[in-house]
Amino acid sequence: MEQMKLKNILLFQKEIKKNAKEFSDKVYSNIYHFFAPEMEHITCDYRVTDSSLSFAYFDEKGVYRVFFTSFNLPELKEELSYFPEGAVLDYICEGENELGNVFIGGNFREIATYTRKSINLKKEGKDFKRSHSEMLEPYYSPNIGEYATEDDAEEIVQVLDEVFDQEMDHLPTVENVKEYARKKWILIYRDKGKISALYLFQIQGKKFYSNISYNSLPAVVLYCLEKRAHMEVIENYDVILKYSWINTKNAKSLKRNILNYDNVFTYIYKKV
């Protein structure tokens, strides 16, 4: 497989989109965001034709992630078959996954599905909402926990790496966590000196992304962290949408999070 810097590979994507317009074909892609400038010099493995681009690189956690843009699905299936065992790809879409057979045909198997839940805070109110609020609210205190500092970053990353799956959960690096700490996007709670609960969120323009929750203590601890963050975000940011992604097999989290299902899913596949 050939290699090229990411910034040059992305030029192929523009050509494929241009070609798709000429043929009036629908473009399928799992490139949903702009890559940070510091990533432009990453060396990627890639394959390209007139109608399909696929490329991959090792992320900061060592996961070999595959990205694609194509308007020729039979060809995309063939192109994906060239990537090595262990490669991981995500695909976000509304409703049923119409590319499932393409990924399977390229020798990928589904390892997880995440569902998005959200709420329009301006239309449906800005109150903090989660299951069992009536039981936990009497014990709420905004003084529970503290905002993480940059000095906490390594311990936070260690906790996340031990608890969550790096392939499925896109976990932050130490540098990511330091940035989140500077922005006051992480609340932690220590028990006997160790981080035993944390809540990580992000502000994305008008969106409030409820990202990662972890708790090894009674439920009220996480309730306090999440509510405190929610109330302070509402006070300090002009956010409209609050959302989160939840593994469809995590029944406990699905029940706890009472935001609305919005029929958007992330399908995650791994090459076998």
Side-chain angles (χ1 to χ4, degrees), residues 6-28:
L6 177 60
K7 67 176 182 179
N8 296 322
I9 288 175
L10 293 178
L11 297 176
F12 292 131
Q13 184 189 24
K14 295 181 180 179
E15 287 299 315
I16 288 171
K17 288 183 176 180
K18 180 181 177 181
N19 293 342
K21 287 183 179 180
E22 293 181 6
F23 291 100
S24 299
D25 282 337
K26 179 178 179 179
V27 176
Y28 298 87

Side-chain angles (χ1 to χ4, degrees), residues 82-131:
Y82 289 97
F83 287 90
E85 181 178 335
V88 175
L89 68 81
D90 299 1
Y91 181 60
I92 300 175
C93 65
E94 185 173 358
E96 185 177 352
N97 177 13
E98 58 185 317
L99 297 191
N101 288 333
V102 173
F103 301 145
I104 292 172
N107 296 322
F108 282 78
R109 67 174 177 85
E110 186 175 325
I111 59 173
T113 300
Y114 281 66
T115 183
R116 194 175 71 185
K117 301 186 76 174
S118 64
I119 184 172
N120 186 309
L121 297 167
K122 292 201 171 182
K123 290 183 179 180
E124 301 182 58
K126 298 182 178 181
D127 293 339
F128 177 67
K129 299 176 182 179
R130 61 149 287 175
S131 65

Side-chain angles (χ1 to χ4, degrees), residues 123-179:
K123 290 183 179 180
E124 301 182 58
K126 298 182 178 181
D127 293 339
F128 177 67
K129 299 176 182 179
R130 61 149 287 175
S131 65
H132 304 303
S133 291
E134 69 284 352
M135 296 171 55
L136 298 170
E137 182 60 28
Y139 305 100
Y140 171 69
S141 169
N143 298 318
I144 296 294
E146 60 189 326
Y147 281 102
T149 68
E150 292 186 56
D151 292 338
D152 298 313
E154 290 190 8
E155 184 180 357
I156 290 171
V157 168
Q158 182 179 357
V159 170
L160 296 179
D161 286 350
E162 290 175 354
V163 174
F164 296 94
D165 188 297
Q166 295 182 3
E167 294 178 342
M168 298 187 293
D169 294 316
H170 293 272
L171 300 177
T173 64
V174 170
E175 289 306 312
N176 294 148
V177 171
K178 286 182 178 180
E179 178 186 353

